Amino acid sequence: MNIRIGSGVDFHRLTEGRDLWLGGIKIPHTKGALGHSDADVLLHAICDAMLGAACLGDIGEHFPDTSNEFKNIDSKILLDRTNQLIKKENYRLINIDSTLCLQSPKIKPFVTQMQKVIACILDLNEKDVSIKATTTERLGFVGREEGVVAFATVLIEKVSQ
Ligand SMILES: [Zn+2]
């Protein structure tokens, strides 16, 4: 058995005048996440978990926020490229578990669509893409709606040649 685990975490500031992209879809909200790319905190955490599992560094190394190439880029492209990176090392993704932390809006109505989008990009079954969401009971920067956080854990396996 050649199975490896990876974990990822990401944070973004919330601000007015930006779109809120989470899990590859645009969520109607009064604020959006600030970042060099579309600032999709969930997809970034998943990318970092995948890279971590394969010991390939982190998202900032592969897609630097100093590069114009990645300015306002759709993070679904980064997720696809991350999948290519682990495939190049002969790894295959098995499953994802993730948690989004934000005070509002409610994420539950969007989870099925997020699962579909992510599963499609990564060639997974939707049942292999778990997305949970929690508030922080109004505690801290998430509770004050100043930011959003995502955690992801993934399993990958080495594909025999
Ligand atoms: Zn990010």
Side-chain angles (χ1 to χ4, degrees):
M1 214 166 48
N2 207 338
I3 288 178
R4 300 168 62 106
I5 195 168
S7 72
V9 60
D10 194 35
F11 302 79
H12 281 274
R13 189 182 288 274
L14 286 171
T15 180
E16 277 160 24
R18 288 271 299 183
D19 290 330
L20 181 59
W21 286 91
L22 291 173
I25 64 172
K26 197 159 116 180
I27 310 281
H29 194 46
T30 52
K31 289 178 173 181
L34 194 61
H36 186 69
S37 64
D38 66 7
D40 191 322
V41 72
L42 180 59
L43 295 192
H44 293 179
I46 293 171
C47 286
D48 251 0
M50 291 166 68
L51 292 169
C55 203
L56 287 174
D58 64 34
I59 191 169
E61 283 172 44
H62 293 278
F63 315 113
D65 65 6
T66 48
S67 163
N68 260 339
E69 188 190 349
F70 305 116
K71 179 114 182 90
N72 292 320
I73 197 169
D74 183 338
S75 293
K76 293 190 282 296
I77 296 168
L78 303 183
L79 186 64
D80 180 53
R81 289 226 215 153
T82 300
N83 201 30
Q84 302 308 321
L85 287 169
I86 71 159
K87 274 183 174 172
K88 220 191 284 175
E89 303 289 319
N90 299 317
Y91 287 114
R92 182 187 77 84
L93 193 52
I94 298 175
N95 78 305
I96 300 169
D97 184 24
S98 64
T99 306
L100 262 170
C101 307
L102 77 172
Q103 194 61 44
S104 74
K106 287 270 168 267
I107 291 306
K108 193 130 195 184
F110 305 102
V111 164
T112 305
Q113 204 186 334
M114 290 178 188
Q115 284 175 300
K116 273 198 183 115
V117 168
I118 295 166
C120 178
I121 294 166
L122 298 175
D123 203 17
L124 287 175
N125 191 300
E126 285 153 41
K127 283 276 170 204
D128 298 324
V129 182
S130 158
I131 301 167
K132 310 185 299 298
T134 183
T135 71
T136 58
E137 302 284 346
R138 300 222 161 262
L139 290 165
F141 68 90
V142 170
R144 293 190 297 271
E145 299 186 44
E146 294 167 3
V148 57
V149 184
F151 300 91
T153 306
V154 305
L155 269 189
I156 62 172
E157 72 173 338
K158 200 99 178 178
V159 182
S160 49
Q161 288 292 288

